[in-house]
Amino acid sequence: TTMSFFANDINKREHSLWVEKYRPKTISDCILPGQLKDIFQKFVDDRNVPNLLLAGRAGIGKTTVARAMLEELDSDYYILNGSIDGNIDTLRTRIKDFASTVSFNGDRKYVILDEADYLTAATQPALRNFIEEYSKNCGFIFTCNFPKKIIEPLHSRCSVIEFKIPAKEKQDIASQFHKRACNILDKEGVEYDKKVVAQLILNHFPDWRKVLNELQKYASQGKIDIGILSASTEKQYEDLIDFLKNKKFESMRSWVGKNRDMIDTVSFYRDMYDFIAPKLKSNSIPNLVLIIADYQYKAAFVADQEINIVACLTQIMVDCEFV
């Protein structure tokens, strides 16, 4: 069982986001390559989850696996997000408050530190002490997209597991997720074309979070058909680009707020580069590249990703000329 305040927050989100509502609760329900699934299932069967560093691209299921193991073991756990809660004082206070107390059932407790590669170089060394200080009572699971951003002393204190899908298993993994996605659409009462769902999975493979977010977005129309393929990611950004071009700051800020749960910070800056550049005068494209590179780098350290995105878009609005 999770801490009550964390559980209440998750329950609220489950009413709106499919990625939360249909998140697997056990390792057997997770869609993983066979070797990875066996590793995590053994941790559960042995009732012994070591300190872990889970690495892999966005949306592939790192946090889902961490939570599924602990849910299956009925462990107390607490999630911190490195991109939001990365301040050392915040980490020290929250980890100490959670890890220093005994769990409800007397078993080992766990801290899941999500997006740990967004923690600053100053913060990461302090985590070494947390791991050692609370080792008798609390384990740590780190997730990251870029393991090279995690300092070696943390690597050495964890079992490092990379989420990679072998080429020979890609078709089977995609097929499993297609079945899962269709099952979700059935439960939600959404009419769909299986071929369109398959193409959407192919377009975003293996970012399962992106696939579910896209399906949920288009499900509001009541039907998933060939029309959504023409409504590509570029279509998603049309309104935003119009706001930037016409310097509608409030509309831009509102767009970011409304879409923040659907925005993947890793891919967002690349999308901006791909879709805004063709809309600019040629002499503004170098400015765009420098702005995006700057804010993409800052994204690894900022406390609030939404503010960082709004700041990036504001600078594009001010410094770039649209055709």
Side-chain angles (χ1 to χ4, degrees):
T1 55
T2 60
M3 296 182 71
S4 58
F5 56 85
F6 172 72
N8 289 337
D9 180 61
I10 289 298
N11 288 336
K12 291 176 184 177
R13 297 185 69 201
E14 284 179 351
H15 291 296
S16 58
L17 291 177
W18 288 1
V19 291
E20 294 294 346
K21 185 176 181 180
Y22 295 103
R23 189 187 290 273
K25 303 296 185 184
T26 65
I27 292 300
S28 63
D29 286 339
C30 294
I31 296 174
L32 294 166
Q35 185 179 13
L36 282 182
K37 200 163 193 173
D38 289 345
I39 290 171
F40 295 123
Q41 189 61 59
K42 183 168 174 50
F43 291 153
V44 172
D45 292 344
D46 292 346
R47 301 193 63 82
N48 181 25
V49 178
N51 293 326
L52 296 172
L53 174 57
L54 307 181
R57 62 180 296 171
I60 200 170
K62 303 180 297 295
T63 307
T64 292
V65 164
R67 288 177 56 180
M69 284 192 296
L70 303 181
E71 291 278 357
E72 203 165 349
L73 291 172
D74 197 28
S75 299
D76 290 347
Y77 67 89
Y78 184 55
I79 296 181
L80 288 165
N81 190 301
S83 65
I84 300 172
D85 307 307
N87 178 279
I88 185 58
D89 292 327
T90 300
L91 284 176
R92 181 180 291 111
T93 300
R94 294 189 181 182
I95 290 175
K96 182 179 180 180
D97 288 347
F98 175 72
S100 60
T101 58
V102 178
S103 66
F104 296 122
N105 56 16
D107 290 340
R108 191 171 176 78
K109 305 171 79 171
Y110 290 88
V111 170
I112 299 175
L113 219 164
D114 223 1
E115 298 188 21
D117 41 350
Y118 284 94
L119 293 169
T120 66
T123 299
Q124 289 191 39
L127 290 169
R128 295 178 301 179
N129 297 330
F130 294 157
I131 291 173
E132 292 168 0
E133 183 176 355
Y134 301 111
S135 60
K136 292 182 179 179
N137 191 47
C138 186
F140 289 79
I141 301 176
F142 301 90
T143 75
C144 67
N145 298 324
F146 307 105
K148 290 184 179 179
K149 289 185 177 181
I150 307 295
I151 61 174
E152 181 56 34
L154 291 182
H155 276 256
S156 67
R157 286 166 170 78
C158 298
S159 296
V160 181
I161 300 177
E162 293 198 43
F163 280 58
K164 292 181 179 179
I165 301 176
K168 64 182 181 181
E169 293 190 54
K170 286 183 178 179
Q171 184 174 346
D172 180 58
I173 293 291
S175 177
Q176 289 182 53
F177 194 78
H178 182 264
K179 183 178 180 180
R180 178 75 53 85
C182 290
N183 182 256
I184 289 171
L185 292 170
D186 288 336
K187 289 181 177 179
E188 293 292 331
V190 179
E191 186 180 346
Y192 61 93
D193 183 329
K194 286 186 175 182
K195 291 183 179 179
V196 172
V197 176
Q199 185 61 50
L200 192 66
I201 290 171
L202 182 63
N203 290 349
H204 301 294
F205 183 91
D207 188 340
W208 313 133
R209 180 172 59 230
K210 179 73 170 179
V211 173
L212 283 184
N213 282 338
E214 288 289 290
L215 287 174
Q216 183 174 12
K217 179 174 66 176
Y218 293 114
S220 61
Q221 302 170 14
K223 188 176 183 180
I224 305 292
D225 58 18
I226 195 67
I228 76 163
L229 297 179
S230 60
S232 62
T233 306
E234 183 174 8
K235 188 81 173 176
Q236 174 185 347
Y237 289 115
E238 277 188 358
D239 287 343
L240 176 60
I241 292 172
D242 178 69
F243 299 149
L244 297 177
K245 180 179 180 178
N246 294 292
K247 303 190 184 305
K248 298 179 180 178
F249 175 79
E250 289 299 332
S251 297
M252 175 271 286
R253 190 173 69 170
S254 176
W255 184 96
V256 175
K258 290 177 181 177
N259 288 277
R260 61 186 173 189
D261 286 327
M262 301 294 188
I263 292 175
D264 171 41
T265 54
V266 175
S267 61
F268 176 77
Y269 295 99
R270 177 72 206 195
D271 288 343
M272 290 296 93
Y273 173 75
D274 289 337
F275 300 134
I276 293 180
K279 311 289 186 182
L280 297 180
K281 293 182 179 180
S282 58
N283 62 347
S284 282
I285 293 177
N287 282 345
L288 176 72
V289 173
L290 293 174
I291 292 168
I292 289 175
D294 181 40
Y295 284 94
Q296 186 179 46
Y297 173 77
K298 290 175 180 175
F301 309 106
V302 296
D304 191 315
Q305 292 294 342
E306 183 178 345
I307 292 176
N308 196 58
I309 288 171
V310 170
C312 175
L313 295 174
T314 301
Q315 192 164 348
I316 291 172
M317 183 187 298
V318 172
D319 292 348
C320 296
E321 291 186 82
F322 288 78
V323 292

